[in-house]
Coordinates of all heavy atoms in Angstrom, one line a residue:
M1 N 0.8 -1.2 0.0 CA 0.0 0.0 0.0 C 0.9 1.3 0.0 O 1.8 1.3 0.7 CB -0.9 0.0 1.3 CG -2.0 1.1 1.3 SD -3.1 0.9 2.5 CE -3.0 2.3 3.4
E2 N 0.5 2.2 -0.7 CA 1.3 3.4 -0.9 C 1.1 4.3 0.3 O 0.1 4.5 0.9 CB 0.8 4.2 -2.1 CG 1.6 5.5 -2.4 CD 1.0 6.2 -3.7 OE1 0.2 5.6 -4.3 OE2 1.6 7.2 -3.8
E3 N 2.2 4.9 0.8 CA 2.2 5.7 1.9 C 1.7 7.1 1.5 O 2.1 7.6 0.5 CB 3.5 5.8 2.6 CG 4.0 4.5 3.3 CD 5.4 4.7 3.9 OE1 6.4 4.8 3.1 OE2 5.4 4.7 5.2
S4 N 1.0 7.7 2.5 CA 0.5 9.0 2.2 C 1.6 10.1 2.6 O 2.6 9.8 3.3 CB -0.8 9.4 3.1 OG -0.4 9.4 4.4
V5 N 1.3 11.4 2.1 CA 2.2 12.4 2.5 C 2.3 12.5 4.0 O 3.4 12.6 4.5 CB 1.7 13.7 1.8 CG1 2.5 15.0 2.4 CG2 2.0 13.7 0.3
A6 N 1.2 12.4 4.6 CA 1.2 12.5 6.1 C 2.0 11.4 6.8 O 2.8 11.6 7.7 CB -0.3 12.5 6.6
D7 N 2.0 10.1 6.2 CA 2.8 9.1 6.7 C 4.2 9.4 6.6 O 5.1 9.1 7.5 CB 2.4 7.8 6.0 CG 1.0 7.3 6.4 OD1 0.4 7.6 7.4 OD2 0.4 6.5 5.5
L8 N 4.5 9.9 5.3 CA 6.0 10.1 5.2 C 6.5 11.3 5.9 O 7.6 11.2 6.4 CB 6.3 10.5 3.7 CG 6.0 9.3 2.6 CD1 5.9 9.7 1.2 CD2 7.1 8.2 2.8
I9 N 5.7 12.3 6.2 CA 6.1 13.4 7.1 C 6.3 12.8 8.5 O 7.3 13.1 9.2 CB 5.0 14.5 7.1 CG1 5.1 15.2 5.7 CG2 5.3 15.4 8.3 CD1 3.9 16.2 5.5
A10 N 5.4 11.9 9.0 CA 5.6 11.3 10.3 C 6.9 10.6 10.5 O 7.6 10.7 11.4 CB 4.3 10.6 10.7
K11 N 7.2 9.8 9.4 CA 8.4 9.1 9.4 C 9.7 9.9 9.4 O 10.6 9.5 10.0 CB 8.4 8.1 8.2 CG 7.6 6.8 8.3 CD 7.9 6.0 7.1 CE 7.2 4.7 7.3 NZ 7.4 3.7 6.2
A12 N 9.5 11.1 8.7 CA 10.7 12.0 8.7 C 11.1 12.5 10.1 O 12.4 12.7 10.3 CB 10.4 13.1 7.7
G13 N 10.3 12.5 11.0 CA 10.5 13.0 12.3 C 10.9 14.5 12.5 O 11.5 14.8 13.5
L14 N 10.7 15.3 11.5 CA 11.0 16.7 11.6 C 9.8 17.5 12.3 O 8.6 17.0 12.3 CB 11.2 17.3 10.2 CG 12.4 16.7 9.5 CD1 12.2 17.2 8.0 CD2 13.7 17.2 10.1
P15 N 10.0 18.5 13.0 CA 9.0 19.3 13.7 C 8.0 19.8 12.6 O 8.3 20.0 11.5 CB 9.8 20.5 14.2 CG 11.2 20.1 14.3 CD 11.5 19.1 13.1
D16 N 6.7 19.9 13.1 CA 5.6 20.3 12.3 C 5.9 21.7 11.8 O 5.4 22.1 10.7 CB 4.3 20.3 13.1 CG 3.7 19.0 13.2 OD1 4.2 18.0 12.5 OD2 2.8 18.8 13.9
N17 N 6.6 22.6 12.5 CA 6.8 24.0 12.0 C 7.9 24.1 11.1 O 8.3 25.2 10.7 CB 7.0 24.9 13.2 CG 8.3 24.6 14.0 OD1 8.9 23.6 13.8 ND2 8.6 25.5 14.8
T18 N 8.6 23.0 10.6 CA 9.6 23.1 9.6 C 9.0 23.5 8.2 O 8.0 23.0 7.7 CB 10.2 21.6 9.4 OG1 10.6 21.1 10.6 CG2 11.4 21.7 8.4
P19 N 9.6 24.7 7.7 CA 9.2 25.1 6.4 C 9.4 24.1 5.4 O 10.4 23.4 5.3 CB 10.0 26.4 6.2 CG 10.5 26.8 7.5 CD 10.6 25.5 8.3
L20 N 8.5 24.0 4.3 CA 8.5 23.1 3.2 C 9.9 23.2 2.5 O 10.5 22.3 2.1 CB 7.5 23.2 2.3 CG 6.1 22.9 2.8 CD1 5.0 23.1 1.7 CD2 5.9 21.6 3.4
K21 N 10.3 24.4 2.2 CA 11.6 24.6 1.4 C 12.7 24.2 2.2 O 13.8 23.8 1.7 CB 11.7 26.1 1.0 CG 10.8 26.6 -0.1 CD 10.9 25.7 -1.4 CE 12.1 26.2 -2.2 NZ 12.2 25.4 -3.4
E22 N 12.7 24.2 3.5 CA 13.8 23.7 4.4 C 13.8 22.2 4.3 O 14.9 21.5 4.3 CB 13.6 24.2 5.8 CG 14.8 23.9 6.8 CD 14.6 24.5 8.1 OE1 14.3 25.7 8.2 OE2 14.8 23.7 9.1
A23 N 12.7 21.6 4.5 CA 12.5 20.1 4.6 C 12.8 19.5 3.2 O 13.3 18.4 3.2 CB 11.1 19.8 5.1
M24 N 12.4 20.2 2.2 CA 12.5 19.6 0.8 C 13.0 20.7 -0.2 O 12.3 21.2 -1.0 CB 11.1 19.1 0.3 CG 10.6 18.1 1.3 SD 8.9 17.7 0.7 CE 7.9 19.0 1.4
P25 N 14.3 21.0 -0.1 CA 14.9 22.1 -0.8 C 14.9 21.8 -2.3 O 15.0 22.9 -3.0 CB 16.4 22.1 -0.2 CG 16.7 20.9 0.4 CD 15.3 20.3 0.8
K26 N 14.7 20.7 -2.8 CA 14.7 20.4 -4.2 C 13.4 20.6 -4.9 O 13.3 20.7 -6.1 CB 15.2 19.0 -4.5 CG 16.6 18.7 -4.2 CD 16.9 17.3 -4.5 CE 18.4 16.9 -4.1 NZ 18.7 15.6 -4.5
L27 N 12.4 21.0 -4.1 CA 11.0 21.2 -4.7 C 11.1 22.5 -5.5 O 11.7 23.5 -5.1 CB 10.0 21.3 -3.6 CG 9.5 20.1 -2.9 CD1 8.4 20.4 -2.0 CD2 9.0 19.1 -3.9
T28 N 10.5 22.4 -6.6 CA 10.5 23.6 -7.6 C 9.2 24.5 -7.2 O 8.2 24.2 -6.4 CB 10.3 23.2 -9.0 OG1 9.0 22.6 -9.2 CG2 11.5 22.3 -9.4
W29 N 9.2 25.8 -7.7 CA 8.2 26.8 -7.7 C 6.9 26.1 -8.1 O 5.8 26.3 -7.5 CB 8.5 27.9 -8.4 CG 7.5 28.9 -8.5 CD1 7.3 29.9 -7.5 CD2 6.4 29.1 -9.5 NE1 6.1 30.7 -7.9 CE2 5.6 30.2 -9.1 CE3 6.1 28.4 -10.6 CZ2 4.6 30.6 -9.9 CZ3 5.1 28.8 -11.4 CH2 4.3 29.9 -11.0
Y30 N 6.9 25.2 -9.1 CA 5.7 24.6 -9.7 C 5.0 23.8 -8.7 O 3.8 23.6 -8.7 CB 6.1 23.8 -10.9 CG 6.5 24.7 -12.0 CD1 7.9 24.7 -12.4 CD2 5.7 25.6 -12.8 CE1 8.3 25.6 -13.4 CE2 6.1 26.4 -13.8 CZ 7.4 26.4 -14.1 OH 7.9 27.2 -15.1
V31 N 5.8 23.3 -7.7 CA 5.2 22.4 -6.7 C 4.7 23.2 -5.5 O 3.6 23.0 -5.0 CB 6.1 21.2 -6.2 CG1 5.5 20.4 -5.1 CG2 6.4 20.4 -7.4
T32 N 5.5 24.1 -5.1 CA 5.3 24.9 -3.9 C 4.2 26.0 -4.1 O 3.5 26.4 -3.1 CB 6.6 25.4 -3.2 OG1 7.2 26.3 -4.2 CG2 7.5 24.4 -2.8
S33 N 4.2 26.6 -5.2 CA 3.3 27.7 -5.4 C 1.8 27.3 -5.2 O 1.1 28.1 -4.5 CB 3.5 28.3 -6.9 OG 2.6 29.4 -7.1
P34 N 1.3 26.3 -5.8 CA -0.1 25.9 -5.5 C -0.3 25.7 -4.0 O -1.5 25.9 -3.5 CB -0.4 24.6 -6.3 CG 0.6 24.6 -7.4 CD 1.9 25.3 -6.7
L35 N 0.7 25.1 -3.3 CA 0.5 24.9 -1.9 C 0.4 26.3 -1.1 O -0.5 26.4 -0.2 CB 1.8 24.1 -1.2 CG 1.9 22.7 -1.9 CD1 3.1 22.1 -1.4 CD2 0.7 21.9 -1.7
K36 N 1.2 27.2 -1.5 CA 1.2 28.6 -0.8 C -0.2 29.3 -1.2 O -0.6 30.0 -0.3 CB 2.3 29.4 -1.3 CG 3.7 29.0 -0.8 CD 4.7 29.9 -1.3 CE 6.1 29.4 -0.9 NZ 7.2 30.2 -1.5
D37 N -0.7 28.9 -2.3 CA -1.9 29.6 -2.7 C -3.2 28.9 -2.1 O -4.3 29.5 -2.2 CB -2.1 29.5 -4.2 CG -1.1 30.5 -4.9 OD1 -0.5 31.4 -4.2 OD2 -0.8 30.3 -6.1
A38 N -3.0 27.8 -1.5 CA -4.2 27.1 -0.8 C -4.7 27.9 0.4 O -4.1 28.8 0.8 CB -3.7 25.7 -0.3
Q39 N -6.0 27.6 0.6 CA -6.6 28.3 1.7 C -6.9 27.4 2.8 O -7.8 26.4 2.6 CB -7.9 29.1 1.3 CG -7.6 30.2 0.4 CD -6.6 31.2 1.1 OE1 -6.8 31.5 2.2 NE2 -5.6 31.7 0.3
P40 N -6.3 27.4 4.0 CA -5.2 28.2 4.4 C -3.9 27.7 3.7 O -3.8 26.6 3.2 CB -5.1 28.0 5.8 CG -5.6 26.6 6.1 CD -6.7 26.4 5.1
P41 N -3.0 28.6 3.5 CA -1.6 28.3 2.8 C -0.9 27.2 3.6 O -1.0 27.0 4.8 CB -0.8 29.7 3.0 CG -1.9 30.7 3.3 CD -3.0 30.1 4.0
I42 N -0.3 26.3 2.8 CA 0.4 25.2 3.2 C 2.0 25.6 3.0 O 2.5 25.7 1.9 CB 0.2 23.9 2.3 CG1 -1.3 23.7 2.4 CG2 1.0 22.8 2.8 CD1 -1.8 22.6 1.4
T43 N 2.5 25.9 4.2 CA 4.0 26.4 4.1 C 4.9 25.7 5.1 O 6.1 25.7 5.0 CB 4.0 27.9 4.6 OG1 3.5 28.0 5.9 CG2 3.2 28.8 3.6
T44 N 4.4 24.8 5.9 CA 5.1 24.0 6.8 C 4.7 22.4 6.7 O 3.7 22.1 6.2 CB 4.9 24.4 8.3 OG1 3.5 24.1 8.7 CG2 5.2 25.8 8.5
L45 N 5.6 21.7 7.2 CA 5.3 20.1 7.3 C 3.9 19.9 8.0 O 3.2 19.0 7.6 CB 6.4 19.4 7.8 CG 7.7 19.3 7.1 CD1 8.8 18.5 7.8 CD2 7.4 18.7 5.7
G46 N 3.7 20.6 9.1 CA 2.4 20.5 9.8 C 1.3 20.8 9.0 O 0.2 20.1 9.0
D47 N 1.4 21.9 8.2 CA 0.3 22.3 7.3 C 0.0 21.2 6.4 O -1.1 20.8 6.1 CB 0.6 23.6 6.6 CG 0.8 24.8 7.5 OD1 0.3 24.9 8.6 OD2 1.5 25.7 6.9
L48 N 1.2 20.7 5.7 CA 1.0 19.7 4.7 C 0.4 18.4 5.2 O -0.4 17.8 4.5 CB 2.4 19.4 4.1 CG 2.5 18.5 2.9 CD1 1.6 18.9 1.7 CD2 3.9 18.4 2.4
S49 N 0.9 18.0 6.4 CA 0.3 16.7 6.9 C -1.2 16.7 7.3 O -1.8 15.6 7.4 CB 1.2 16.3 8.2 OG 0.9 17.1 9.3
A50 N -1.7 17.9 7.4 CA -3.2 18.0 7.7 C -4.0 17.7 6.4 O -5.2 17.6 6.7 CB -3.4 19.3 8.4
W51 N -3.4 17.7 5.3 CA -4.2 17.5 4.0 C -4.0 16.0 3.6 O -3.0 15.5 3.7 CB -3.6 18.4 2.9 CG -4.0 19.8 3.2 CD1 -3.4 20.7 4.1 CD2 -4.8 20.6 2.3 NE1 -4.0 21.9 4.0 CE2 -4.7 22.0 2.9 CE3 -5.6 20.3 1.2 CZ2 -5.6 23.0 2.2 CZ3 -6.4 21.3 0.7 CH2 -6.3 22.6 1.2
S52 N -5.0 15.5 3.2 CA -4.9 14.1 2.5 C -4.4 14.2 1.1 O -4.5 15.3 0.5 CB -6.4 13.5 2.4 OG -7.2 14.1 1.5
D53 N -3.9 13.1 0.7 CA -3.4 13.1 -0.7 C -4.5 13.5 -1.8 O -4.3 14.3 -2.6 CB -2.9 11.7 -1.1 CG -1.5 11.4 -0.4 OD1 -1.1 12.1 0.5 OD2 -1.0 10.3 -0.6
A54 N -5.7 13.0 -1.5 CA -6.8 13.3 -2.4 C -7.2 14.7 -2.4 O -7.5 15.3 -3.4 CB -8.1 12.4 -2.0
A55 N -7.2 15.4 -1.2 CA -7.4 16.9 -1.1 C -6.3 17.6 -1.8 O -6.6 18.7 -2.4 CB -7.6 17.2 0.4
L56 N -5.1 17.2 -1.6 CA -3.9 17.9 -2.3 C -4.1 18.0 -3.8 O -3.9 19.0 -4.4 CB -2.6 17.3 -1.9 CG -2.1 17.5 -0.5 CD1 -0.9 16.6 -0.2 CD2 -1.7 19.0 -0.3
V57 N -4.4 16.9 -4.5 CA -4.5 16.8 -5.9 C -5.7 17.7 -6.5 O -5.7 17.9 -7.6 CB -4.5 15.4 -6.4 CG1 -3.1 14.8 -6.2 CG2 -5.6 14.6 -6.0
K58 N -6.6 18.1 -5.5 CA -7.8 18.8 -6.0 C -7.4 20.3 -5.9 O -8.3 21.2 -6.4 CB -9.0 18.6 -5.1 CG -9.5 17.1 -5.3 CD -10.8 16.9 -4.5 CE -11.2 15.5 -4.7 NZ -12.3 15.2 -3.7
L59 N -6.3 20.7 -5.4 CA -5.9 22.1 -5.2 C -5.7 22.5 -6.7 O -5.1 21.9 -7.5 CB -4.6 22.3 -4.5 CG -4.7 22.1 -3.0 CD1 -3.3 22.1 -2.4 CD2 -5.6 23.2 -2.3
P60 N -6.1 23.8 -7.0 CA -5.8 24.4 -8.3 C -4.3 24.5 -8.6 O -3.5 24.9 -7.8 CB -6.4 25.8 -8.2 CG -7.4 25.8 -7.1 CD -6.9 24.7 -6.1
G61 N -3.9 23.9 -9.6 CA -2.5 23.9 -10.2 C -1.7 22.9 -9.5 O -0.5 22.8 -9.8
F62 N -2.3 21.9 -8.8 CA -1.6 20.8 -8.1 C -2.1 19.6 -8.6 O -3.2 19.1 -8.3 CB -1.7 20.9 -6.6 CG -0.7 20.1 -5.9 CD1 0.5 20.6 -5.5 CD2 -1.0 18.8 -5.5 CE1 1.4 19.9 -4.7 CE2 -0.1 18.1 -4.8 CZ 1.1 18.5 -4.4
A63 N -1.2 18.9 -9.4 CA -1.7 17.6 -10.1 C -1.0 16.4 -9.4 O -0.3 16.6 -8.5 CB -1.4 17.7 -11.6
A64 N -1.3 15.2 -9.9 CA -0.7 14.0 -9.4 C 0.8 13.9 -9.4 O 1.5 13.4 -8.7 CB -1.3 12.7 -10.1
G65 N 1.3 14.6 -10.5 CA 2.7 14.7 -10.6 C 3.4 15.4 -9.5 O 4.5 15.1 -9.1
H66 N 2.8 16.5 -9.1 CA 3.3 17.3 -8.0 C 3.2 16.4 -6.7 O 4.2 16.5 -5.9 CB 2.4 18.5 -7.7 CG 2.4 19.5 -8.9 ND1 1.3 19.6 -9.9 CD2 3.3 20.4 -9.3 CE1 1.6 20.4 -10.7 NE2 2.8 21.0 -10.4
L67 N 2.2 15.6 -6.5 CA 2.1 14.7 -5.3 C 3.3 13.7 -5.3 O 3.9 13.5 -4.4 CB 0.8 14.1 -5.3 CG 0.5 13.2 -4.1 CD1 0.5 14.0 -2.8 CD2 -0.8 12.5 -4.3
T68 N 3.6 13.3 -6.5 CA 4.7 12.3 -6.6 C 5.9 12.9 -6.3 O 6.9 12.3 -5.6 CB 4.7 11.7 -8.1 OG1 3.4 11.0 -8.4 CG2 5.9 10.8 -8.3
K69 N 6.2 14.2 -6.7 CA 7.4 14.9 -6.4 C 7.6 15.1 -4.9 O 8.6 14.9 -4.2 CB 7.6 16.2 -7.2 CG 7.8 16.0 -8.6 CD 7.8 17.3 -9.3 CE 7.9 16.9 -10.9 NZ 8.7 17.7 -11.6
L70 N 6.5 15.5 -4.3 CA 6.4 15.7 -2.8 C 6.8 14.4 -2.1 O 7.7 14.4 -1.2 CB 5.0 16.1 -2.3 CG 4.7 17.5 -2.3 CD1 3.2 17.6 -1.7 CD2 5.5 18.3 -1.4
K71 N 6.3 13.3 -2.5 CA 6.5 11.9 -1.9 C 7.9 11.6 -2.1 O 8.5 11.0 -1.2 CB 5.5 10.9 -2.4 CG 4.1 11.2 -1.9 CD 3.1 10.0 -2.3 CE 1.8 10.2 -1.8 NZ 1.0 9.1 -2.0
T72 N 8.4 11.8 -3.3 CA 9.8 11.4 -3.5 C 10.8 12.2 -2.7 O 11.7 11.7 -2.1 CB 10.2 11.8 -5.0 OG1 9.3 10.9 -5.8 CG2 11.6 11.4 -5.4
E73 N 10.4 13.6 -2.4 CA 11.3 14.3 -1.6 C 11.2 13.9 -0.1 O 12.2 14.1 0.6 CB 11.0 15.8 -1.8 CG 11.5 16.4 -3.0 CD 13.0 16.3 -3.2 OE1 13.7 16.7 -2.3 OE2 13.5 15.9 -4.2
L74 N 10.1 13.4 0.3 CA 9.8 13.0 1.6 C 10.3 11.6 2.0 O 10.4 11.2 3.1 CB 8.3 13.1 2.0 CG 7.8 14.5 2.1 CD1 6.3 14.4 2.2 CD2 8.2 15.2 3.4
S75 N 10.6 10.8 0.9 CA 11.0 9.4 1.1 C 12.4 9.4 1.8 O 13.3 10.4 1.6 CB 11.1 8.7 -0.3 OG 9.9 8.5 -0.8
P76 N 12.6 8.4 2.6 CA 14.0 8.3 3.2 C 15.1 8.4 2.2 O 15.1 7.9 1.1 CB 14.0 7.0 3.9 CG 12.5 6.5 4.0 CD 11.8 7.2 2.8
P77 N 16.2 9.1 2.7 CA 17.3 9.4 1.8 C 17.9 8.2 1.2 O 18.5 8.2 0.0 CB 18.4 10.1 2.6 CG 17.6 10.6 3.8 CD 16.4 9.7 3.9
G78 N 17.9 7.0 1.8 CA 18.5 5.8 1.3 C 17.7 5.1 0.4 O 18.2 4.1 -0.3
T79 N 16.5 5.5 0.0 CA 15.6 4.9 -0.9 C 16.0 5.4 -2.4 O 16.0 6.5 -2.7 CB 14.2 5.3 -0.7 OG1 13.8 5.1 0.7 CG2 13.3 4.4 -1.5
P80 N 16.5 4.3 -3.1 CA 16.9 4.6 -4.5 C 15.6 5.3 -5.3 O 14.5 4.9 -5.1 CB 17.2 3.3 -5.2 CG 17.4 2.4 -4.0 CD 16.6 2.9 -2.8
D81 N 16.0 6.1 -6.3 CA 15.0 6.9 -7.0 C 14.0 6.0 -7.7 O 12.9 6.2 -7.7 CB 15.6 7.8 -8.0 CG 16.3 9.0 -7.4 OD1 15.8 9.3 -6.2 OD2 17.2 9.7 -8.0
L82 N 14.5 4.9 -8.3 CA 13.7 3.9 -9.0 C 12.7 3.3 -8.1 O 11.5 3.2 -8.4 CB 14.6 2.8 -9.7 CG 13.8 1.8 -10.4 CD1 12.9 2.4 -11.5 CD2 14.7 0.7 -11.1
V83 N 13.2 2.9 -6.9 CA 12.3 2.3 -6.0 C 11.2 3.3 -5.5 O 10.0 3.0 -5.5 CB 13.1 1.7 -4.7 CG1 12.2 1.2 -3.7 CG2 14.0 0.6 -5.2
R84 N 11.6 4.5 -5.2 CA 10.6 5.5 -4.8 C 9.6 5.7 -6.0 O 8.4 5.9 -5.7 CB 11.4 6.8 -4.5 CG 12.0 6.8 -3.2 CD 12.5 8.1 -2.7 NE 13.8 8.4 -3.5 CZ 14.5 9.4 -3.3 NH1 14.3 10.3 -2.4 NH2 15.6 9.5 -3.9
T85 N 10.0 5.8 -7.2 CA 9.2 6.0 -8.4 C 8.2 4.8 -8.4 O 7.0 5.1 -8.6 CB 10.1 6.2 -9.6 OG1 10.9 7.3 -9.5 CG2 9.0 6.3 -10.8
L86 N 8.6 3.7 -8.3 CA 7.7 2.5 -8.3 C 6.7 2.6 -7.2 O 5.6 2.3 -7.4 CB 8.5 1.3 -8.4 CG 9.4 0.9 -9.6 CD1 10.2 -0.3 -9.3 CD2 8.5 0.8 -10.8
E87 N 7.1 2.9 -6.0 CA 6.3 2.9 -4.9 C 5.3 4.0 -5.1 O 4.1 3.8 -4.8 CB 7.1 3.2 -3.6 CG 7.9 2.0 -3.1 CD 8.7 2.2 -1.9 OE1 9.0 3.4 -1.6 OE2 9.2 1.3 -1.4
N88 N 5.6 5.2 -5.5 CA 4.8 6.3 -5.8 C 3.7 6.0 -6.8 O 2.7 6.6 -6.9 CB 5.5 7.6 -6.1 CG 6.3 8.1 -4.9 OD1 5.9 7.9 -3.7 ND2 7.3 8.8 -5.1
A89 N 4.1 5.1 -7.8 CA 3.2 4.7 -8.8 C 2.3 3.6 -8.5 O 1.5 3.1 -9.2 CB 4.0 4.3 -10.1
G90 N 2.4 3.1 -7.1 CA 1.6 2.0 -6.7 C 2.2 0.6 -7.2 O 1.5 -0.3 -7.1
L91 N 3.4 0.6 -7.6 CA 4.0 -0.7 -8.1 C 5.0 -1.2 -7.1 O 6.0 -1.8 -7.6 CB 4.6 -0.4 -9.4 CG 3.7 0.2 -10.5 CD1 4.5 0.5 -11.8 CD2 2.6 -0.9 -10.8
N92 N 4.9 -0.9 -5.8 CA 5.8 -1.4 -4.9 C 6.0 -3.0 -4.7 O 6.9 -3.4 -4.1 CB 5.6 -0.8 -3.5 CG 4.2 -0.9 -3.1 OD1 3.3 -1.2 -3.8 ND2 4.0 -0.8 -1.7
D93 N 5.0 -3.7 -5.3 CA 5.2 -5.2 -5.3 C 6.0 -5.7 -6.5 O 6.3 -6.9 -6.6 CB 3.8 -5.8 -5.2 CG 3.2 -5.6 -3.9 OD1 3.9 -5.3 -2.9 OD2 2.0 -5.6 -3.8
V94 N 6.3 -4.8 -7.5 CA 7.0 -5.4 -8.6 C 8.4 -5.7 -8.3 O 9.1 -4.9 -7.7 CB 7.0 -4.2 -9.7 CG1 7.8 -4.6 -10.9 CG2 5.6 -4.0 -10.2
R95 N 8.8 -6.8 -8.7 CA 10.2 -7.3 -8.5 C 11.1 -7.0 -9.7 O 10.6 -7.4 -10.8 CB 10.2 -8.8 -8.2 CG 9.3 -9.3 -7.1 CD 9.9 -9.1 -5.8 NE 9.3 -9.7 -4.6 CZ 8.2 -9.3 -4.1 NH1 7.5 -8.2 -4.6 NH2 7.6 -9.9 -3.1
L96 N 12.1 -6.3 -9.6 CA 13.0 -6.0 -10.6 C 13.5 -7.3 -11.3 O 13.9 -8.2 -10.6 CB 14.2 -5.2 -10.3 CG 13.8 -3.7 -9.8 CD1 15.0 -2.9 -9.3 CD2 13.1 -3.0 -10.9
G97 N 13.4 -7.4 -12.5 CA 14.0 -8.6 -13.2 C 12.8 -9.7 -13.4 O 13.0 -10.8 -13.8
D98 N 11.6 -9.4 -12.8 CA 10.6 -10.3 -12.9 C 9.5 -9.7 -13.9 O 8.5 -9.1 -13.4 CB 10.0 -10.6 -11.5 CG 8.7 -11.6 -11.5 OD1 8.5 -12.2 -12.6 OD2 8.1 -11.6 -10.5
P99 N 9.6 -9.9 -15.1 CA 8.6 -9.3 -16.0 C 7.3 -9.8 -15.8 O 6.3 -9.1 -16.2 CB 9.2 -9.7 -17.5 CG 10.1 -10.9 -17.3 CD 10.5 -10.8 -15.8
G100 N 6.9 -10.9 -15.1 CA 5.6 -11.4 -14.9 C 4.9 -10.4 -13.9 O 3.7 -10.3 -13.8
G101 N 5.7 -9.6 -13.0 CA 5.0 -8.7 -12.2 C 4.6 -7.3 -12.9 O 3.9 -6.6 -12.3
L102 N 5.0 -7.2 -14.1 CA 4.6 -5.9 -14.8 C 3.3 -6.1 -15.5 O 2.5 -6.1 -16.0 CB 5.7 -5.5 -15.8 CG 6.9 -5.1 -15.2 CD1 7.9 -4.8 -16.3 CD2 6.8 -3.9 -14.3

């Protein structure tokens, strides 16, 4: 089962008042701008964790790709990009080298 943004934030163990840009410095303006424009604005990890994944993708200008980028940035640092991509796509049961799982 895919982890939600709130689950990933909880696992990160950072304080709720941590600014998004400090917690995830690689996020682009295209991801953070719709969050800042939300009502109320989403500017900290605590703000972000209060929103469900489904509610986030309903924000104007915030699509599923933005959610994937958020989750990738929130994933533990030791998680390889390919594994994070597969998990974010809901393919976390796919075994590399096992074409039957695709």
Side-chain angles (χ1 to χ4, degrees):
M1 185 167 128
E2 183 179 352
E3 291 182 289
S4 69
V5 167
D7 293 337
L8 292 168
I9 290 171
K11 280 186 175 182
L14 295 170
D16 282 349
N17 64 347
T18 305
L20 295 180
K21 287 302 279 183
E22 184 179 312
M24 299 173 284
K26 293 182 182 178
L27 286 182
T28 64
W29 175 87
Y30 295 102
V31 176
T32 59
S33 183
L35 299 175
K36 288 179 188 174
D37 293 341
Q39 292 303 317
I42 302 169
T43 59
T44 66
L45 290 179
D47 297 339
L48 184 59
S49 66
W51 288 70
S52 70
D53 291 4
L56 287 170
V57 296
K58 290 180 182 176
L59 289 172
F62 195 90
H66 295 101
L67 183 64
T68 299
K69 288 178 191 223
L70 270 179
K71 288 183 176 187
T72 298
E73 286 299 312
L74 288 166
S75 294
T79 308
D81 288 342
L82 176 59
V83 173
R84 284 189 281 189
T85 300
L86 292 173
E87 288 175 348
N88 289 337
L91 302 173
N92 51 341
D93 290 332
V94 173
R95 306 278 189 284
L96 296 178
D98 177 14
L102 296 175

